[in-house]
Amino acid sequence: MESSHPGGLTATMRNFSRNRMGMVGLAMLLLAIALAVFAPVIAPYDPAKPPRATIMDIYLPPSAEHPFGTDDAGQDVLTNFLYGARVSLMVGFFASFIAVAIGGVMGLSAGFIGGRTDNILMRFTDIMLVIPDLPLAVVIVALTKPSLWVIVLVIGLLGWTSTARLIRSQTLSVKQRRFVTRARAVGAGNFYIIRRHILPLVLPLLVVNTVLVISLAILNESTLSFLGLGDPTAPSWGQMLNFAFTRGAMSAGGWWALLAPGIGIVWVVLACTLIGQGLEQVLNPRLASHNLSSTKQMILRPPRTQSQHAPQAPDQA
Amino acid sequence: MASPLVAVRNLRTLFPVGAHSVFRAPATFVHAVDDVTFDIDEGEALALVGESGCGKSTLALTLLGLERPTTGSIDFAGQEMTALKGSELKAARRNMQMIFQDPYESLNPLMRVGEIVAEPLIVHKLANARSDREARVRAALEAAGLKPPEVYLERYPYQLSGGQRQRVAIAAALVLEPRLLLADEPVSMLDVSIRAEIINLLAELKQTRKISILFITHDLGTVTAVADRIAVMYLGRIVELGRTADVLTQPRHPYTKALLSVTPAPNPRLRKERIILKGETPDPTRLPGGCRFAPRCPVAQPLCLASDPPLTALETGHTAACHFG
């Protein structure tokens, strides 16, 4: 696409690339993903190797040999941190994918079909919304065999409500627009209208929401793992925190065992929040310059797309 | 004479108002279109004039099948539109295309002009070969006055002026080569300087392609160039119907007279005395018992409040719904 309308996904992404905080968030997230992907290359030790733990290896402070120190089992914290990133990010992405898929379908159908369908779907969403996610998740995970996929499923199945509400409201507003009536007048069917007219205008919002749901999913997974409900075969950051917390890291002075996973979680959640906020500013330019912002932006800089066409604009008639 | 392309008989579209459910029938209705009867011949343009809220747009949407009529019949090219469903209705819509009032809202901002104009072909699975489709899109753009079409194909609506956008909407309507064009206030959102161009374009399409046009407007000043006949609508009902020249020069219904008297004349010295209507249009859920124009009519008599005048023929092809017309 060489040019596109300000409301579309391509243009949203291009404008996003000029949002400083958003780009910082994106860089942070990409770094975390890179660390997770290249964990086997970067990690100084093999996590699969059984620890040859003696009393001398437990809670060793950071050193050249163990840059982040060692944990309660004498394992290298950096290695666990890198492999833990894989688990945390994977759970975050898969769970949010499930949540956004369900929420998107629910929101689109509720908003587009309307009437009784809307009522039923939204009442169901309301019920899901008022049930406290975490206690329910704890109960479900506790009742099943602890496995990564159960956690992914639980977080995904409990986390779609906000997406459904958001997508429904956007669908409702897009549905009312004249070009949808025009498409109907032309003779287009519902499926065509959703695909061609509604979805493209809902998509940018869905992307923003996905980013925020990812951070929420990672946070939820950490919480569950911290409470001891994680998959013991796939230690995540939350589980590292759990081990360090329950096995006396603080009393042994091993703060590094808590710090590394804690920073990891904060890092990814902050990255997602920054990206989400950046995208939101791009989609809703009014947020960018309110009266309390430090720099005065009485006139918003026109997006580059428009200045490209500006010279030829006046003589089109 | 051949049978008309469109024959609307006693059409009525009511909207329920207020809370209602399966258990409780709605108590009141908005009489958006209330007992409307008219014909449009092949290649004829009928102007539908009336103030906002009188049911003009609802009438157009009902013709298209986007609103279900409560009672009445719509005969379109020999087919009873109100009985059609699903694919039959879709097929019938191919011959009946609509142009909307607001060209800024009626075009999807994320679609290129080429895509917008090709959309009806895609929806109806016509001209499936790529080259064939492109040729028809180009032809439609040219017919709508967007020349050369190559310039516009790749543009987005926000890169076009209001007049150009309305031409795109017209091109998208023309690409199916419809027999009836429903133009719902096609110029009211445009600059005055561009209105004449769009109206002339519609008049030209009627001439060269023999397309029938239902031209909906609230502005009597824009109808003369296109319309063969004028139907004046008030509160969901046609109150006067006749040839353009007859209605404009010898209006018979007091509402038409009032509308005409406030239409700006090119020569300010010729300006007649204006008839300014008092009050508001009555609430369409609670219509007055007699003539629905009576509460605002400058010449209303006791009879008008008592009985509703039917649409009666005054001379050939000129009817009005007034006791004293």
Side-chain angles (χ1 to χ4, degrees):
Chain A
M1 277 201 183
E2 75 281 5
S3 70
S4 54
H5 186 272
L9 195 61
T10 345
T12 305
M13 290 306 165
R14 199 184 19 254
N15 288 337
F16 176 72
S17 69
R18 281 191 291 279
N19 185 294
R20 211 178 304 145
M21 291 315 276
M23 286 313 280
V24 169
L26 189 64
M28 286 168 68
L29 186 65
L30 287 178
L31 180 67
I33 292 172
L35 286 180
V37 169
F38 297 111
V41 185
I42 310 166
Y45 299 91
D46 184 359
K49 241 171 44 183
R52 32 154 197 86
T54 66
I55 194 77
M56 299 306 289
D57 294 318
I58 291 171
Y59 289 129
L60 284 180
S63 63
E65 208 180 335
H66 299 287
F68 284 11
T70 62
D71 65 6
D72 60 282
Q75 279 187 309
D76 184 51
V77 171
L78 177 60
T79 305
N80 281 354
F81 173 78
L82 292 171
Y83 280 92
R86 295 186 136 189
V87 177
S88 287
L89 287 175
M90 226 161 66
V91 171
F93 284 128
F94 281 116
S96 67
F97 178 77
I98 294 174
V100 167
I102 298 175
V105 171
M106 290 280 261
L108 267 178
S109 1
F112 189 78
I113 302 169
R116 198 165 300 173
T117 313
D118 180 27
N119 237 323
I120 292 169
L121 288 180
M122 280 304 115
R123 289 303 77 76
F124 180 57
T125 308
D126 286 343
I127 292 168
M128 293 299 286
L129 206 61
V130 292
I131 294 175
D133 283 4
L134 199 63
L136 185 60
V138 167
V139 169
I140 297 174
V141 175
L143 289 178
T144 52
K145 221 172 74 188
S147 114
L148 207 57
W149 295 111
V150 169
I151 293 178
V152 166
L153 218 58
V154 166
I155 295 174
L157 290 178
L158 291 178
W160 54 267
T161 44
S162 65
T163 313
R165 284 238 156 243
L166 187 80
I167 296 305
R168 172 183 172 266
S169 67
Q170 176 77 356
T171 306
L172 277 178
S173 92
V174 174
K175 188 179 80 168
Q176 294 302 324
R177 294 182 64 177
R178 265 294 172 207
F179 55 78
V180 175
T181 317
R182 201 180 67 83
R184 266 192 209 294
V186 161
N190 287 341
F191 193 69
Y192 177 89
I193 289 176
I194 290 182
R195 190 167 54 84
R196 207 74 182 85
H197 292 283
I198 308 253
L199 202 55
L201 276 110
V202 172
L203 208 55
L205 219 60
L206 200 63
V207 171
V208 178
N209 190 252
T210 308
V211 177
L212 296 176
V213 170
I214 288 175
S215 77
L216 212 66
I218 289 176
L219 218 51
N220 276 339
E221 189 275 336
S222 303
T223 311
L224 287 177
S225 297
F226 180 74
L227 294 174
L229 297 162
D231 182 353
T233 60
S236 66
W237 286 337
Q239 223 164 341
M240 290 174 72
L241 281 176
N242 170 258
F243 287 157
F245 186 74
T246 52
R247 295 176 193 174
M250 285 318 284
S251 50
W255 50 268
W256 48 86
L258 285 159
L259 197 64
I263 286 180
I265 294 166
V266 172
W267 179 273
V268 173
V269 171
L270 182 65
C272 289
T273 310
L274 287 176
I275 295 173
Q277 241 172 31
L279 281 170
E280 226 158 40
Q281 273 177 11
V282 168
L283 290 174
N284 189 356
R286 268 175 300 176
L287 290 175
S289 62
H290 57 81
N291 58 345
L292 295 176
S293 54
S294 51
T295 49
K296 277 192 180 143
Q297 279 187 299
M298 289 299 284
I299 301 161
L300 286 171
R301 259 173 294 135
R304 224 174 279 159
T305 43
Q306 287 181 358
S307 58
Q308 276 169 6
H309 300 286
Q312 63 192 68
D315 53 57
Q316 278 170 1
Chain B
M1 198 177 155
S3 64
L5 178 66
V6 188
V8 175
R9 293 286 172 270
N10 304 100
L11 191 70
R12 196 169 276 203
T13 308
L14 310 180
F15 295 117
V17 186
H20 60 279
S21 64
V22 191
F23 309 107
R24 193 165 50 164
T28 50
F29 294 92
V30 168
H31 296 246
V33 177
D34 196 0
D35 201 7
V36 163
T37 296
F38 65 90
D39 294 334
I40 304 176
D41 287 326
E42 193 89 48
E44 184 199 35
L46 174 71
L48 193 60
V49 184
E51 59 198 332
S52 24
C54 74
K56 297 169 299 189
S57 298
T58 308
L59 179 55
L61 294 176
T62 310
L63 289 183
L64 265 175
L66 290 180
E67 298 288 356
R68 283 266 155 204
T70 314
T71 53
S73 75
I74 304 162
D75 185 300
F76 177 69
Q79 253 184 324
E80 179 54 45
M81 288 292 286
T82 53
L84 296 182
K85 280 199 182 97
S87 55
E88 286 175 318
L89 185 61
K90 185 175 166 177
R93 275 187 197 150
R94 194 154 74 201
N95 289 316
M96 195 194 265
Q97 288 295 306
M98 184 152 175
I99 301 165
F100 287 91
Q101 177 173 13
D102 186 350
Y104 295 86
E105 255 292 299
S106 67
L107 304 179
N108 187 329
L110 300 183
M111 285 167 77
R112 294 157 198 275
V113 167
E115 294 174 305
I116 292 170
V117 178
E119 184 174 48
L121 295 175
I122 294 166
V123 165
H124 288 282
K125 299 191 175 63
L126 295 169
N128 287 314
R130 195 185 167 83
S131 57
D132 193 10
R133 184 176 292 164
E134 272 177 18
R136 285 184 72 167
V137 168
R138 274 162 212 266
L141 283 171
E142 274 188 23
L146 293 170
K147 293 175 219 176
E150 292 75 31
V151 176
Y152 298 96
L153 282 173
E154 296 296 309
R155 294 235 173 128
Y156 285 92
Y158 79 98
Q159 295 169 313
L160 303 176
S161 69
Q164 287 171 323
R165 286 180 211 215
Q166 201 56 292
R167 285 177 192 271
V168 171
I170 293 172
L174 288 178
V175 78
L176 290 174
E177 289 166 8
R179 296 170 73 183
L180 174 67
L181 213 51
L182 304 167
D184 186 2
E185 306 243 16
V187 296
S188 68
M189 297 293 287
L190 302 178
D191 289 349
V192 177
S193 54
I194 298 160
R195 285 185 188 178
E197 289 178 30
I198 297 292
I199 288 173
N200 288 341
L201 172 64
L202 290 175
E204 188 190 309
L205 290 171
K206 188 193 78 174
Q207 287 281 313
T208 56
R209 301 188 166 214
K210 294 276 167 263
I211 297 179
S212 305
I213 299 176
L214 181 68
F215 185 83
I216 298 172
T217 180
H218 63 262
D219 181 5
L220 271 170
T222 57
V223 301
T224 41
V226 196
D228 301 303
R229 288 190 302 150
I230 295 181
V232 180
M233 209 167 164
Y234 183 78
L235 268 180
R237 189 167 284 187
I238 289 178
V239 292
E240 183 160 3
L241 178 66
R243 282 191 295 273
T244 304
D246 292 346
V247 174
L248 291 182
T249 53
Q250 297 165 298
R252 303 302 288 266
H253 196 280
Y255 180 62
T256 317
K257 287 177 190 164
L259 276 185
L260 275 173
S261 76
V262 293
T263 304
N267 184 347
R269 272 177 232 170
L270 288 180
R271 197 161 64 192
K272 305 150 288 188
E273 194 190 339
R274 292 182 176 187
I275 306 166
I276 306 294
L277 295 175
K278 297 182 295 288
E280 298 279 323
T281 44
D283 182 350
T285 59
R286 277 170 292 158
L287 290 170
C291 172
R292 54 189 66 193
F293 185 58
R296 301 174 74 195
C297 185
V299 295
Q301 305 289 320
L303 171 66
C304 300
L305 294 169
S307 86
D308 196 7
L311 203 59
T312 42
L314 300 157
E315 54 239 46
T316 7
H318 192 171
T319 54
C322 181
H323 292 300
F324 307 98

